[in-house]
């Protein structure tokens, strides 16, 4: 099922990305009173966990540098309850998907079927060891098909992310290290220029890069060694393996049907850059 998990990631990820790239979600969160993009990001994504401290959000998100979660959590909830941020994220994200797809696709039987099958998969996996996924599972599934598709795709994304964190921890790769290895895999050079880490203090980045070199994952020029490339591939393969259980709930015929239904939806979202 690992190839199915990878294919479903490719098909569902553009649906989830509207939350972060399109305008509607940011506008909804700003209307609540969140002052910056990152206030809204941390508030809305962490909200299913409840009013947990920054240390818990940092552990669950994993990829952010030390102290980044604490700049937003718990202050984002002092005047805006988590439930309001959850609702705003859902409204804005569903509105983005609907706008990009257009009424013909958004109201089509194919989308309804995609939403139904995605929800069946998303609500069928074990929650053990899946903190972010469990938080999403505790939320009510929307009735509107577009919102339901986004919600269930996001649930599966968090399930995959939980597994990815486990794979990284097992490989002794920290969050900042993971971003630098992603940059190397994408051919970004130097890796420190990657958008997810370039804002971090140069001394901090230099320390992490030195550690990756000492472990033989990057060479002196900051490029992959054979060991580094193999380690990255091993993490990705395990991530796919750990992401597979939700799709056990679907029969082979249902999986084929879901892929067929999602392909034109995803194609439109990709063409728009999920914006």
């Amino acid at each position: 099922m690992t190839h199915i998990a990878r294919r479903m990631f490719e098909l569902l990820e553009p649906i989830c990305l509207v939350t972060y790239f399109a305008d509607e979600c940011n506008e909804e969160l700003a209307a609540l009173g969140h002052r910056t993009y990152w206030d809204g990001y941390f508030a809305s994504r962490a909200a299913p966990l409840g009013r947990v401290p920054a240390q818990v959000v940092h552990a669950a998100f994993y990829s952010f540098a030390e102290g980044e979660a604490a700049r937003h959590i718990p202050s984002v909830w002092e005047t805006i309850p988590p439930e309001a941020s959850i609702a705003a994220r859902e409204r804005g994200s569903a509105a983005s998907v609907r706008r990009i797809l257009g009424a013909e696709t958004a109201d089509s039987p194919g989308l309804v079927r995609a939403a139904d099958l995605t929800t069946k998969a998303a609500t069928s996996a074990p929650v053990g060891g899946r903190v972010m996924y469990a938080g999403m599972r505790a939320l009510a599934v929307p009735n509107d098909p577009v919102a339901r598709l986004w919600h269930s795709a996001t649930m599966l994304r968090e399930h995959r992310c939980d597994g990815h964190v486990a794979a990284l921890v097992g490989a002794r790769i920290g969050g900042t290290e993971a971003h630098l290895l992603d940059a190397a895999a994408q051919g970004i050079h130097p890796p420190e220029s990657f958008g997810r880490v370039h804002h971090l203090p140069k001394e901090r980045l230099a320390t992490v890069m030195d550690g990756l070199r000492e472990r033989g994952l990057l060479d002196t020029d900051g490029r992959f060694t054979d060991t580094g490339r193999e380690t990255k591939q091993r993490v990705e393969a395990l991530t796919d393996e750990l992401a597979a259980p939700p799709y056990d709930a679907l029969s082979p015929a249902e999986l084929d049907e879901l892929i067929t239904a999602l392909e034109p939806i995803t194609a439109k979202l990709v063409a728009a850059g999920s914006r």
Side-chain angles (χ1 to χ4, degrees):
M1 291 291 288
T2 56
H3 69 287
I4 290 293
R6 173 59 59 166
R7 181 60 180 143
M8 293 307 302
F9 169 69
E10 294 167 350
L11 289 169
L12 294 173
E13 184 73 352
I15 299 171
C16 305
L17 291 181
V18 299
T19 303
Y20 310 109
F21 291 159
D23 292 333
E24 287 89 341
C25 184
N26 292 329
E27 291 168 355
E28 288 277 359
L29 291 167
L32 285 181
H34 291 302
R35 296 168 298 174
T36 68
Y37 171 88
W38 289 110
D39 274 354
Y41 173 91
F42 276 93
S44 62
R45 187 179 172 210
L49 301 178
R51 296 176 183 269
V52 295
Q55 296 95 320
V56 174
V57 175
H58 176 71
F61 286 15
Y62 193 74
S63 60
F64 287 88
E66 193 72 40
E68 290 193 307
R71 284 200 283 273
H72 309 277
I73 303 293
S75 62
V76 291
W77 294 324
E78 290 175 358
T79 57
I80 304 168
E83 296 79 8
S85 294
I86 290 171
R89 182 171 77 147
E90 180 186 301
R91 284 195 307 272
S93 299
S96 295
V97 173
R98 180 170 288 278
R99 170 181 55 80
I100 295 169
L101 295 182
E104 183 176 355
T105 301
D107 296 327
S108 68
L111 185 136
V112 174
R113 186 60 174 156
D116 290 344
L117 290 173
T118 302
T119 301
K120 182 178 179 179
T123 56
S124 298
V127 298
R130 309 275 185 168
V131 174
M132 292 300 299
Y133 171 64
M136 285 290 296
R137 274 284 296 273
L139 303 179
V141 177
N143 291 321
D144 172 70
V146 173
R148 187 163 71 250
L149 177 60
W150 169 83
H151 178 91
S152 297
T154 300
M155 209 186 310
L156 289 166
R157 186 178 198 257
E158 294 292 16
H159 179 279
R160 183 184 180 87
C161 286
D162 286 332
H164 188 54
V165 169
L168 290 170
V169 171
R172 297 186 298 114
I173 296 171
T176 303
E177 292 173 321
H179 285 315
L180 291 168
L181 294 179
D182 277 345
Q186 294 176 48
I188 297 171
H189 193 265
E192 303 97 310
S193 66
F194 185 34
R196 293 296 301 274
V197 297
H198 72 86
H199 62 286
L200 297 178
K202 288 184 171 53
E203 297 80 6
R204 167 65 179 153
L205 287 174
T207 298
V208 177
M209 287 291 291
D210 286 345
L212 292 171
R213 292 187 181 101
E214 289 170 8
R215 292 177 60 186
L217 302 179
L218 296 180
D219 63 20
T220 55
D221 193 38
R223 302 182 188 277
F224 263 141
T225 61
D226 289 343
T227 299
R229 187 173 291 102
E230 290 167 3
T231 299
K232 173 67 172 170
Q233 290 171 347
R234 193 161 59 247
V235 166
E236 294 301 321
L238 180 55
T239 298
D240 286 339
E241 181 181 342
L242 294 174
Y247 306 106
D248 291 338
L250 303 181
S251 69
E254 287 175 324
L255 281 169
D256 288 344
E257 187 180 1
L258 177 55
I259 289 170
T260 299
L262 283 174
E263 284 176 339
I265 294 169
T266 300
K268 282 194 171 186
L269 291 164
V270 170
S274 291
R275 296 180 186 274

